[in-house]
């Protein structure tokens, strides 16, 4: 089974588009923030939405920071 698979070096793989990644994450953040304005009672949902937004935003910030420092 392993004989049928191609051996690729990391340089041969096409890198992911950072612009597409940042756009998709930004759209996901806006959609999650839109959930805050709804017909719900209580604050538990808001806490989980806030945590989700912070995680998505941290992915963008950490990726940009790692790209700037040359770690990625």
């Amino acid at each position: 089974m392993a004989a049928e698979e191609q051996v690729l070096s990391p340089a041969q793989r096409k890198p992911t588009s950072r612009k597409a990644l940042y756009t998709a994450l930004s759209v996901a953040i806006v959609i999650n923030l839109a959930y805050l304005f709804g017909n719900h009672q209580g604050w538990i949902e808001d806490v989980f939405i806030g945590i989700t937004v912070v995680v998505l935003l941290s992915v963008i910030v950490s990726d940009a920071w790692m790209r700037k420092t040359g770690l990625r």
Side-chain angles (χ1 to χ4, degrees):
M1 188 172 215
E4 298 173 6
E5 296 180 17
Q6 292 182 349
V7 177
L8 297 175
S9 68
Q12 291 176 328
R13 295 187 182 129
K14 183 177 179 183
T16 58
S17 172
R18 298 211 185 274
K19 186 176 181 180
L21 173 71
Y22 293 163
T23 303
L25 289 174
S26 299
V27 168
I29 288 172
V30 169
I31 290 172
N32 278 304
L33 288 175
Y35 287 141
L36 292 175
F37 305 104
N39 188 14
H40 64 275
Q41 298 175 357
W43 297 98
I44 298 299
E45 296 92 354
D46 296 344
V47 170
F48 283 108
I49 289 171
I51 290 170
T52 304
V53 168
V54 168
V55 167
L56 293 174
L57 192 59
S58 68
V59 169
I60 292 174
V61 171
S62 66
D63 187 62
W65 176 74
M66 287 174 63
R67 182 80 170 162
K68 182 180 177 185
T69 58
L71 296 175
R72 190 162 199 202

